[in-house]
């Protein structure tokens, strides 16, 4: 097979075969195909697209660039959730223990935060001692023992994806549905799962700002999951404002603990329980998503979900005294309040800007080399639809970086808009796709 | 400026500005932009296209990656001809001395043959002693002295083109009108010319097999030449069969000498005189192409064109005794005749196959590292429309490679088709574009 001919074929909009995609992915992973040829292929695939079958075959080729974890020695239905990322999105931290407490297995391999969105690994690593770099045998051990495990990408998992993603990032070939699908699915399928629930975010804080694009991605992910015989449900959920109130690494652990201990955070609970409910349903422990939601609520009420969380943190080396007494966590040097400078009904939030404000305070990364301040972040008090008076508390900032406080306050204030007319709060669960 | 943003802009089908194109070309030439980003840009440009203005600006950026030869110290109108290449296409060798004899200056920078087409440099180098690697000061000296000079690409001329062409070759981004245009024009404009005549070939032996594609390229080249205020005429000419009868490096010098000495080779003369006639007209030495054609014929008849050829060969170090007595050139070891195996009217020739047959005999290169046998080649005796009897002489092969004789004979016979009905010969000058 000839690389130039395969690039030409995709350039002409023709479909590549399984053998051809395997040749490209294996060749690139082994560095037999140079970057400059693969980037030309990526741009051709970006502009000419790939159909469902090709997307599944590309996923397969990338999946088998590494290993698929063999979880056959562990009993139970294995299910994971994937979110496209948002601001304040801490649902994984809450639903993993819920679903494990429901009797399913939740083997999660997660990523780090970049830009305006946080990453589950970073949040967990804010717990002193918590290890996300478990090897695969330790990963299986924790999963078997407690039913949930949360680790980072290992080098055995879809090595092609890491290489390809780095190249896409510098060649303007990121925002492609088939390429995004294959990237997500090759990693998720490597976990050894039986089912998968997607949370595709849409709105000002999401990668897919338009619901139409979110739906296209959701359908591509679902179709690919089905091509691998996985049980799957996709949710399109609102990301026009932060989910819950806390944004930041430890802050999101903190709010997750509160929810696991029974505190009601309306939007966060609604999204989390829908996702966990769907996971419990797909795993056969409920007859419907609704019944799965009821089970989720009960596992919060009776303390079993929180117990699972403590167990998982302990098994992964985290300091559980802080989980039990989260108020003891170190505090940021600066605590600054942001007050409303206008009155009206909160109409829109530029949620991307809120995420970037948290980043500036130390909670996020501009590049993968930036260091995080785990205790930095924002408590964002207002929700779309709230009636606001001038001087009302909108948000609280926590940081050690004095120099960014004023600019961040301004950034937050200019990211919200009010109107004179009443505004209804956005629908959280916009679509459920199967 | 940010390379990824510029790739994205072209990917979205937007037009790049002069500054943006300069940034990309200068950055790539200086190796500040890596191959993998430039190849993604090339694929985006390939698939999204570039408009007239962008193509001219890309040409300009590539042109000024090197120097433009300053010919202001040399009197007279400087004009060149560019052909997209064909089989047996030796018009440059004949028209350069004609046009120089008409009082114009012909500064030609040419290329080498690859694949089924020959290259003017290779043909000239078949003359013992002929130097095509003159430096620019020697180039100007010869041009001033005799009015015509024929050299190869120098490193000062459009260095961006060489880098970009190599990358296009391995990334399936060759067949793009704007990229082809910028590649051709950046080199031609660097010669310091005032005018340019294009010979865009179409047919089975041409890069642009379809006349429609040839016209698109011709229009793009003409529009770019005009953007640089150059006088320009474009011809679309037939390449459905070899031009003239001789194919091979020395063979084409030989046939050129014959034409310069007054021999009539109908198709070769018609195309050459049209091109030289247009050059003489653009240079102001004739009131029309027709008058330029008459002048060309007269310069052949009175021997002045041949004298110019001899003068140029001598100034470039070539052995003129062989030009005056071409029969003395060394002969190939094997001389084999190919006879018709069917009767009828010659209907079609797969001219690409004839070019490849000549290559197999030693006259061409599969890769740039292959060595040439200057005396190898084909005399192709038949023309489309000829009435052929079984056993008629179709072609003669000349080679030192015994092992390829039989396969090449078969290749030639299977490349021609005959029909029972009379066939008219193809129109040579298909279109003249200004």
């Amino acid at each position: 097979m000839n690389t130039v001919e395969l690039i030409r074929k995709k350039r002409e909009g023709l479909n590549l075969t399984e053998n051809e995609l395997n040749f490209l992915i294996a060749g690139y992973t082994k560095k037999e195909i140079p970057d400059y040829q693969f980037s030309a292929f990526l741009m051709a695939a970006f502009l000419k697209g790939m159909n469902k079958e090709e997307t599944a075959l590309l996923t397969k080729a990338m999946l088998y660039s590494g290993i698929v974890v063999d979880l056959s020695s562990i009993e139970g239905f294995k299910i994971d959730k994937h979110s496209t990322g948002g601001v304040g999105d801490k649902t994984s931290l809450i639903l993993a223990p819920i679903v494990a407490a429901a009797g399913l297995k939740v083997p999660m391999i997660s990523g780090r935060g970049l830009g305006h969105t946080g990453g589950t690994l970073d949040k967990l690593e804010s717990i002193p001692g918590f290890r996300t770099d478990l090897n695969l045998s330790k990963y299986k051990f924790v999963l078997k023992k407690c039913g949930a495990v949360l680790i980072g990408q290992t080098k055995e998992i879809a090595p092609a994806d890491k290489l390809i993603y780095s190249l896409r990032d510098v060649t303007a070939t990121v925002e492609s549905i088939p390429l995004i699908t294959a990237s997500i699915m090759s990693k998720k399928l490597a976990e050894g799962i039986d089912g998968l629930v997607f949370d595709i975010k849409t709105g000002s804080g999401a990668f897919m700002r338009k619901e139409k694009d979110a739906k296209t991605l959701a359908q591509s992910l679902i179709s690919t999951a089905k091509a691998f015989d996985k049980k799957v449900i996709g949710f399109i959920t609102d990301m026009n404002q932060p989910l819950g109130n806390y944004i930041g690494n430890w802050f999101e652990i903190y709010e997750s603990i509160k929810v696991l201990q029974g505190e009601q955070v309306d939007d966060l609970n609604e999204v989390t329980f829908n996702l966990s409910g769907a996971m419990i349903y797909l795993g056969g422990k409920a007859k419907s998503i609704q019944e799965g939601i009821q089970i989720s609520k009960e596992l919060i009420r009776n303390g079993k979900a929180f117990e699972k969380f403590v167990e998982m943190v302990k098994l992964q080396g985290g300091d559980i005294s802080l989980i039990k007494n989260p108020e003891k966590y170190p505090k940021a040097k600066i605590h600054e309040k942001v007050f409303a400078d206008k009155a009206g009904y909160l109409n829109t939030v530029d949620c991307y800007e809120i995420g970037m404000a948290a980043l500036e305070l130390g909670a996020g990364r501009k590049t993968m080399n930036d260091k995080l301040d785990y205790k930095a972040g924002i408590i964002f008090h207002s929700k779309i639809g709230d009636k606001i008076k001038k001087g009302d508390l909108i948000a609280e900032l926590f940081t050690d970086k004095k120099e960014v406080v004023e600019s961040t306050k301004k950034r937050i204030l200019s990211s919200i808009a009010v109107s004179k007319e009443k505004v209804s709060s956005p629908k959280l669960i916009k679509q459920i796709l199967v």
Side-chain angles (χ1 to χ4, degrees), chain A:
Chain A
M1 233 172 280
N2 176 306
T3 307
V4 179
E5 284 310 311
L6 300 184
I7 302 171
R8 192 190 315 275
K9 198 172 169 186
K10 187 34 70 190
R11 186 194 83 190
E12 298 301 312
L14 301 171
N15 298 332
L16 298 182
T17 65
E18 179 161 11
N19 280 343
E20 290 169 341
L21 288 163
N22 286 344
F23 175 86
L24 286 172
I25 299 301
Y28 186 56
T29 310
K30 289 184 218 148
K31 289 283 166 205
E32 288 162 7
I33 294 176
D35 286 339
Y36 56 79
Q37 288 189 318
F38 205 80
S39 66
F41 164 72
L42 287 171
M43 184 56 83
F46 188 105
L47 288 171
K48 289 293 183 169
M50 294 184 126
N51 68 15
K52 272 205 250 184
E53 289 69 32
E54 271 184 299
T55 303
L57 292 170
L58 176 65
T59 303
K60 193 173 171 189
M62 286 167 63
L63 171 63
Y64 289 108
S65 70
I67 61 150
V68 176
V69 183
D70 179 7
L71 298 180
S72 59
S73 64
I74 299 171
E75 268 182 58
F77 191 91
K78 288 99 194 173
I79 189 156
D80 193 8
K81 184 252 344 176
H82 178 79
S83 156
T84 54
V87 179
D89 178 15
K90 53 198 75 77
T91 61
S92 290
L93 301 167
I94 308 167
L95 62 77
I98 291 175
V99 175
L104 302 175
K105 297 288 185 290
V106 187
M108 279 195 168
I109 298 183
S110 286
R112 300 195 177 274
L114 188 64
H116 73 288
T117 64
T120 301
L121 293 188
D122 300 320
K123 295 170 194 173
L124 287 166
E125 287 174 358
S126 75
I127 304 168
F130 196 101
R131 296 282 299 270
T132 62
D133 60 346
L134 306 187
N135 64 28
L136 290 176
S137 106
K138 194 76 199 292
Y139 164 82
K140 287 199 227 180
F141 171 80
V142 175
L143 182 67
K144 190 168 188 171
K145 185 99 177 167
C146 108
V149 62
L150 256 157
I151 66 163
Q153 186 77 1
T154 76
K155 65 181 187 310
E156 300 98 325
I157 301 284
D161 176 64
K162 194 175 178 170
L163 292 169
I164 295 170
Y165 193 84
S166 305
L167 189 60
R168 284 167 61 206
D169 195 37
V170 293
T171 55
T173 50
V174 170
E175 313 90 330
S176 152
I177 297 284
L179 298 179
I180 293 170
T181 300
S183 173
I184 292 172
M185 292 304 294
S186 62
K187 286 178 292 191
K188 286 287 154 191
L189 292 166
E191 293 173 348
I193 47 171
D194 304 308
L196 190 54
V197 169
F198 292 110
D199 180 13
I200 313 298
K201 307 282 192 192
T202 183
S204 62
F207 284 109
M208 297 287 169
R209 295 195 162 217
K210 293 181 193 153
E211 190 170 335
K212 188 175 134 279
D213 296 335
K215 186 171 180 181
T216 306
L217 176 58
Q219 286 168 329
S220 175
L221 289 166
I222 289 170
S223 130
T224 304
K226 286 182 178 169
F228 287 85
D229 289 324
K230 304 302 171 194
K231 293 202 170 181
V232 60
I233 292 177
F235 289 82
I236 297 179
T237 69
D238 186 71
M239 187 37 69
N240 281 299
Q241 56 187 336
L243 191 62
N245 300 110
Y246 287 74
I247 306 152
N249 293 289
W250 168 255
F251 270 10
E252 299 193 31
I253 296 287
Y254 177 84
E255 192 170 38
S256 300
I257 292 169
K258 293 292 156 190
V259 168
L260 283 164
Q261 289 177 332
E263 203 166 284
Q264 179 67 18
V265 183
D266 291 349
D267 57 349
L268 177 58
N269 284 27
E270 184 178 344
V271 173
T272 305
F273 293 158
N274 265 278
L275 297 170
S276 63
M279 292 166 84
I280 293 167
Y281 162 64
L282 284 184
K285 300 285 182 187
K287 287 189 204 71
S288 65
I289 298 176
Q290 271 311 316
E291 192 186 331
I293 292 173
Q294 293 313 316
I295 293 172
S296 301
K297 288 180 180 172
E298 174 58 20
L299 291 167
I300 296 282
R301 204 201 49 76
N302 65 19
K304 291 195 175 164
F306 183 62
E307 269 173 41
K308 271 290 168 212
F309 185 67
V310 173
E311 186 186 356
M312 185 186 79
V313 171
K314 194 173 179 184
L315 281 167
Q316 294 197 226
D319 178 355
I320 59 166
S321 74
L322 283 167
I323 305 302
K324 291 180 175 169
N325 297 290
E327 315 302 338
K328 292 194 176 164
Y329 201 81
K331 300 285 179 292
K333 287 180 193 154
I334 302 166
H335 172 194
E336 186 85 13
K337 293 180 176 176
V338 185
F339 299 103
D341 58 357
K342 43 205 165 192
Y345 293 93
L346 183 57
N347 190 16
T348 57
V349 177
D350 187 336
C351 187
Y352 172 84
E353 285 295 310
I354 303 296
M356 291 306 284
L359 182 153
E360 289 294 343
L361 296 172
R365 291 186 188 88
K366 278 179 192 159
T367 78
M368 269 302 173
N369 300 319
D370 292 351
K371 276 210 156 182
L372 297 175
D373 176 2
Y374 291 129
K375 61 193 187 307
I378 298 172
I379 310 176
F380 196 80
H381 292 283
S382 306
K383 291 285 170 186
I384 292 170
D386 284 359
K387 189 174 182 181
I388 292 172
K389 294 192 304 293
K390 212 169 160 179
D392 275 1
L393 181 65
I394 296 291
E396 295 173 73
L397 313 185
F398 298 81
T399 186
D400 285 353
K401 292 159 74 183
K402 194 162 181 279
E403 67 279 13
V404 302
V405 172
E406 281 312 309
S407 62
T408 309
K409 280 172 80 170
K410 276 187 198 144
R411 190 166 195 162
I412 288 176
L413 282 175
S414 65
S415 76
I416 62 174
V418 297
S419 67
K420 286 185 180 168
E421 296 77 37
K422 276 200 178 180
V423 177
S424 56
S425 56
K427 200 177 167 189
L428 275 168
I429 309 294
K430 293 177 178 295
Q431 294 187 53
I432 304 180
L433 305 165
V434 289

